[in-house]
Amino acid sequence: ARQVPSPNCDERPADCYIGLIVIHNISLPPGNYGGPEIEQLFTNCLDPAAHPYFAEIAHLKVSSHLLIRRDGELIQYVPFSKRAWHAGDSCFDGRQACNDFSVGIELEGQDTEAYTDRQYEQLAAVMQALVATYPGLSLQRVAGHSDISPGRKTDPGPAFDWQSLQARLGGGVA
């Protein structure tokens, strides 16, 4: 992965283990792909005057561990050992504050537009590597942002093909 350090992270709580993968989507401006704006947002360099939507979000301090671009490029913003600021107010399996114990993976996209085969291939490879590395993680501990923040978030959206991901992983995703 290409490394682009984000300042929007901190230490995980001492007693936390990585036990969840959260799948998100992002495009900046909405519906546009391939530009530098996601990187600018995650590194606090987004110009609020560059687009009307940016004025609403440029002040946010957010990040994810990884971004998978439409062409499959993998960018890492936060080391897995640190807490990325991707989930916000969230709950999974009765545990609050999912940022504490999750890895956040952004897919360049939007809720209603199909993701690319390259993105699914890269996501499956990353998930398999994470499960092989972190003993508290399994392919049954994967959720969309909408699953852990219902009513507040909608991503990865109805265009995300959970069956395609399962097929690439040989089944296993809950």
Side-chain angles (χ1 to χ4, degrees):
R2 182 166 60 92
Q3 305 292 307
V4 179
S6 172
N8 303 328
C9 63
D10 57 6
E11 297 300 321
R12 292 183 187 272
D15 60 344
C16 273
Y17 60 90
I18 295 173
L20 175 65
I21 297 170
V22 180
I23 301 172
H24 303 264
N25 73 33
I26 189 169
S27 60
L28 291 177
N32 290 5
Y33 305 127
E37 294 85 1
I38 297 170
E39 185 172 309
Q40 291 169 357
L41 177 66
F42 289 168
T43 58
N44 303 332
C45 297
L46 187 64
D47 178 0
H51 186 276
Y53 180 65
F54 298 167
E56 299 174 31
I57 65 167
H59 70 283
L60 297 175
K61 304 293 185 214
V62 295
S63 62
S64 71
H65 291 93
L66 299 172
L67 168 68
I68 302 174
R69 293 260 189 201
R70 305 291 289 175
D71 64 2
E73 179 189 11
L74 188 62
I75 304 166
Q76 184 166 15
Y77 294 98
V78 175
F80 300 124
S81 61
K82 294 201 178 252
R83 175 173 48 194
W85 302 343
H86 61 94
D89 185 20
S90 54
C91 180
F92 179 79
D93 202 20
R95 290 180 69 187
Q96 300 291 321
C98 293
N99 285 342
D100 289 353
F101 59 93
S102 66
V103 170
I105 302 174
E106 295 275 0
L107 300 176
E108 187 177 38
Q110 52 187 347
D111 289 5
T112 57
E113 186 171 346
Y115 297 91
T116 69
D117 285 339
R118 244 346 251 140
Q119 287 178 297
Y120 286 110
E121 291 165 11
Q122 189 71 275
L123 178 59
V126 165
M127 289 172 60
Q128 288 169 329
L130 289 169
V131 167
T133 303
Y134 296 100
L137 196 54
S138 74
L139 294 178
Q140 287 73 43
R141 300 190 59 81
V142 178
H145 199 188
S146 58
D147 299 318
I148 63 168
S149 299
R152 191 174 70 80
K153 294 296 180 175
T154 59
D155 56 315
F160 187 78
D161 188 346
W162 289 98
Q163 291 179 334
S164 177
L165 179 60
Q166 285 179 334
R168 292 168 198 281
L169 293 167
V173 175

